[in-house]
Amino acid sequence: MPSENPKGREDLREAIMGFGEKSVRKSYYPQLRETFHKLQRFKALLDHTRDFIFLVDVNGKIVDVNKSSLQKLGYSKEDISSIFEIIPTEYNDNFRELLSKKEASMEMPLLKGDGGLILTEMNLNIVKFNGDNYAVIVARDIIGRKKLEEELRKSLEEKEILLKEMHHRSKNNLQIISSLLNLQAMTTDAKKETFKETQDRIKSMALIHEQLYQSEDLARINFKEYAEKLIKNLLNSYPMGKSVTTKLDIENITLEVDTAIPLGLIMNELLTNTLKYAFFGKDKGTIEVTFKRLKDNLELKIADDGIGFPEDKLHESKSLGLKLVNVLVRQLEGRLSVKSQNGSCFKIIFKG
């Protein structure tokens, strides 16, 4: 039988309670203390991050906010109770739309305590705590980034203007050279045909610079547009008193300047050769120009229904034009071939 002595009962109670308290301290207190320290470290981390971090409920009520947000925005925790108090009125509907999504991102300004604004990139994620939805909002100040982007944009614009001016002046200088050659041809005993061919080569390069400074892309050109203009210029440049029809099958392919210039000169030489010699003894003729992509390669074909071209003369010709074609094809690391059947067909294949 237990003692009826009240003091005995109290001693027994204290012994039992003391044993329990010691057990709890021994088994749970170290874990609780470590967990508490972890929470303190995590809170310190959030409080000192540069980002604005908010935890809000589905109605926008601020449940928690990191210390650095309050410091940067110039508020105390008691000053703001809703996220809508620091979002400009005109953005409220946009933010409500964000709250309706599981995750979202957009640029949004935050109102400072002094009335100023901080432009941020805001990311929002919906999470569950004890069965209720909350929004975790992480916003980053992007004013510095925006200023840098603006400086880069202005710098690029200045460079584009300089490049346009460079291409414009290059085109004008090439035109001056062409005009000087024309004057020289009028006053010299040398073959005017030689000056004419040189002029056409210069014009083919000037046309590329003209197209470059007129376009938004200063490093590449649409070769279809260029080829159509070049062919038109050459047809006007060689009035033969014959009916020459052109058939064009040119894909919309954009080429770098370093590729477009040699390819343009190749086209100029082959078309000039065709216009001068292919239709000898004929009243009319047809020229077909094809330019297309074949997997990793580009293929240019210039064909005619004229008198044909000796296939064995392609790499042995003493003609300056064909010598130039061979040099330029090697520059493009391409292959040049010709077939002479019912006319001639020059084909160039190169990597592109």
Side-chain angles (χ1 to χ4, degrees):
M1 292 289 295
S3 173
E4 295 295 329
N5 186 340
K7 187 176 184 306
R9 287 199 303 270
E10 184 63 27
D11 290 342
L12 179 61
R13 176 180 172 277
E14 286 185 4
I16 294 171
M17 291 297 292
F19 177 76
E21 185 177 351
K22 290 176 183 177
S23 297
V24 169
R25 285 180 179 174
K26 185 176 181 181
S27 59
Y28 293 110
Y29 275 19
Q31 294 180 26
L32 289 172
R33 187 166 55 248
E34 179 60 26
T35 301
F36 179 68
H37 288 162
K38 284 181 179 178
L39 289 172
Q40 282 186 315
R41 288 196 296 270
F42 186 66
K43 187 177 186 304
L45 178 66
L46 294 181
D47 281 340
H48 290 86
T49 185
R50 293 183 180 182
D51 292 338
F52 305 92
I53 302 175
F54 301 88
L55 180 67
V56 304
D57 66 15
V58 292
N59 296 312
K61 180 182 177 182
I62 297 175
V63 178
D64 205 351
V65 55
N66 65 332
K67 188 184 293 184
S68 59
S69 296
L70 297 172
Q71 291 173 345
K72 287 182 180 180
L73 293 171
Y75 297 107
S76 67
K77 203 166 186 180
E78 291 73 28
D79 291 335
I80 50 173
S81 59
S82 171
I83 193 72
F84 290 105
E85 295 174 13
I86 60 171
I87 292 176
T89 306
E90 60 269 29
Y91 287 88
N92 283 355
D93 289 341
N94 290 341
F95 187 76
R96 285 192 180 91
E97 187 179 343
L98 287 185
L99 281 175
S100 66
K101 299 177 180 178
K102 288 186 177 181
E103 60 179 77
S105 177
M106 71 177 298
E107 290 184 4
M108 187 171 294
L110 295 178
L111 280 169
K112 296 173 66 178
D114 61 7
L117 292 172
I118 297 179
L119 182 61
T120 72
E121 182 179 67
M122 185 177 287
N123 294 285
L124 179 148
N125 290 83
I126 300 296
V127 296
K128 275 190 180 294
F129 290 124
N130 297 324
D132 295 322
N133 286 337
Y134 293 87
V136 176
I137 300 166
V138 180
R140 177 162 294 180
D141 185 341
I142 58 172
I143 293 175
R145 191 184 81 189
K146 286 292 182 181
K147 285 182 180 178
L148 181 59
E149 287 175 356
E150 180 63 18
E151 290 173 4
L152 288 172
R153 185 187 64 78
K154 287 181 179 179
S155 177
L156 284 172
E157 283 181 355
E158 290 172 0
K159 285 181 172 61
E160 285 181 2
I161 291 170
L162 288 172
L163 278 171
K164 282 182 181 287
E165 181 63 20
M166 182 190 73
H167 287 305
H168 184 65
R169 291 189 180 187
S170 296
K171 178 226 173 187
N172 289 343
N173 289 338
L174 289 168
Q175 285 182 330
I176 290 169
I177 294 170
S178 179
S179 298
L180 289 172
L181 286 170
N182 191 43
L183 288 171
Q184 185 68 27
M186 294 169 62
T187 57
T188 186
D189 294 331
K191 285 186 177 181
K192 292 184 180 181
E193 185 179 313
T194 302
F195 286 99
K196 178 78 173 61
E197 290 174 357
T198 304
Q199 274 184 296
D200 288 335
R201 289 166 187 145
I202 292 170
K203 286 178 181 177
S204 75
M205 292 185 286
L207 188 60
I208 286 177
H209 289 290
E210 179 182 14
Q211 192 167 331
L212 283 169
Y213 80 73
Q214 289 177 349
S215 70
E216 293 182 1
D217 191 335
L218 298 174
R220 297 177 296 177
I221 67 166
N222 183 309
F223 200 75
K224 176 182 172 67
E225 295 176 6
Y226 167 78
E228 289 172 349
K229 289 181 182 178
L230 178 64
I231 292 166
K232 183 179 178 181
N233 289 349
L234 287 173
L235 287 172
N236 292 332
S237 183
Y238 287 90
M240 301 176 295
K242 299 179 182 182
S243 176
V244 177
T245 304
T246 56
K247 293 182 180 180
L248 309 181
D249 181 14
I250 303 173
E251 292 183 1
N252 265 310
I253 297 174
T254 301
L255 296 180
E256 302 284 342
V257 178
D258 291 344
T259 301
I261 288 177
L263 192 62
L265 283 168
I266 289 170
M267 279 192 67
N268 180 82
E269 297 304 322
L270 293 178
L271 287 168
T272 297
N273 189 70
T274 300
L275 289 168
K276 285 171 63 178
Y277 305 116
F279 307 117
F280 183 77
K282 290 192 171 190
D283 296 326
K284 60 181 180 179
T286 301
I287 298 174
E288 295 184 19
V289 179
T290 305
F291 184 57
K292 59 182 62 178
R293 185 176 296 282
L294 300 174
K295 295 183 179 180
D296 295 332
N297 294 322
L298 294 172
E299 180 188 75
L300 172 67
K301 286 200 297 187
I302 297 178
D304 63 73
D305 59 356
I307 60 175
F309 182 89
E311 296 180 19
D312 59 334
K313 299 293 183 182
L314 179 60
H315 301 289
E316 299 176 6
S317 175
K318 294 182 180 180
S319 160
L320 175 61
L322 288 176
K323 284 182 179 179
L324 185 58
V325 168
N326 279 291
V327 169
L328 293 169
V329 170
R330 285 197 296 272
Q331 182 178 322
L332 292 173
E333 296 181 355
R335 301 188 307 275
L336 171 65
S337 62
V338 63
K339 286 186 177 181
S340 188
Q341 187 175 2
N342 299 321
S344 59
C345 177
F346 291 88
K347 182 167 71 173
I348 297 102
I349 296 177
F350 60 97
K351 290 281 185 182

